Amino acid sequence: MTRGGREKDRDAPAERRCLVTGEVQPKAGLIRFVAGPDGMVVPDLAEKLPGRGFWVTSDRAALQKASDKGLFSRGAKAHVKAPDDLVSGIEAALARRVIDLISLSRKAGSAVAGFEKVKGWLADGKARVLFQASDGSDRGKGKLWTPTGGRWFGCLTASELGLAFGRAHVIHSALAPGGLTDKVIRDAARLNGLRGHDGNSVAGKDSRTDER
């Protein structure tokens, strides 16, 4: 119950204001930061660190502006300094998180790799997320489609996807609903923002080819 007597919508996503744009948006599109004891800005990707949190849109330009213009100090309400490699460090950490989460999903039987297996999951409605390597062939990737009501991501390279499956490289992979998939979606969407993948390429158009 809110102070005004209204019932809270427990299904509504929590929202925060971006330090750079001033826009209020769901936390899923933002990265939380806290001030470390040494006065350095610390990204809190798991959103579990103690202390006053301040938020910036998961976008390379926004994060760089927050660092260059000293906007983090405004959010922390204290003088803090951002490391020189803040943005690249966040990108690397997000990529590692996505890879690790996909790997855990694979071990739980909730992720597959390879064109035929992924195509089968898509055809049977078993997939919620389609991952395709950013450096894979557009022609090959265009033969698959975004799951109905699901998501497509092209933010990982073939070698990065390969790490999740214990292979040298992977071009196509799919995740089933449930389990860790929601966490994968959250972090992959944030990584998309940093790597400039808007989700509107190849299979990300939510349309099927005649090979379905």
Side-chain angles (χ1 to χ4, degrees), residues 122-174:
L122 290 169
D124 294 340
K126 294 174 61 177
R128 184 183 177 198
V129 177
L130 172 64
F131 271 91
Q132 293 184 300
S134 58
D135 50 351
S137 163
D138 283 351
R139 180 179 179 183
K141 291 189 293 184
K143 295 178 180 180
L144 297 178
W145 58 93
T146 302
T148 302
R151 297 290 298 272
W152 172 88
F153 292 107
C155 54
L156 295 178
T157 65
S159 60
E160 287 173 332
L161 267 179
L163 288 173
F165 290 91
R167 305 180 187 179
H169 68 276
V170 165
I171 303 298
H172 315 279
S173 67

Side-chain angles (χ1 to χ4, degrees), residues 61-135:
L63 289 165
Q64 196 62 57
K65 182 176 181 179
S67 179
D68 294 344
K69 302 294 185 181
L71 301 182
F72 287 120
S73 294
R74 186 175 69 190
K77 297 190 181 303
H79 179 71
V80 293
K81 179 177 173 56
D84 294 336
D85 62 348
L86 178 71
V87 179
S88 60
I90 292 172
E91 178 184 344
L94 280 173
R96 183 75 257 172
R97 284 174 63 86
V98 174
I99 291 166
D100 289 346
L101 287 168
I102 295 174
S103 179
L104 289 172
S105 296
R106 171 184 64 84
K107 293 173 183 176
S110 298
V112 295
F115 181 85
E116 292 301 331
K117 287 185 178 179
V118 171
K119 183 179 178 182
W121 271 33
L122 290 169
D124 294 340
K126 294 174 61 177
R128 184 183 177 198
V129 177
L130 172 64
F131 271 91
Q132 293 184 300
S134 58
D135 50 351

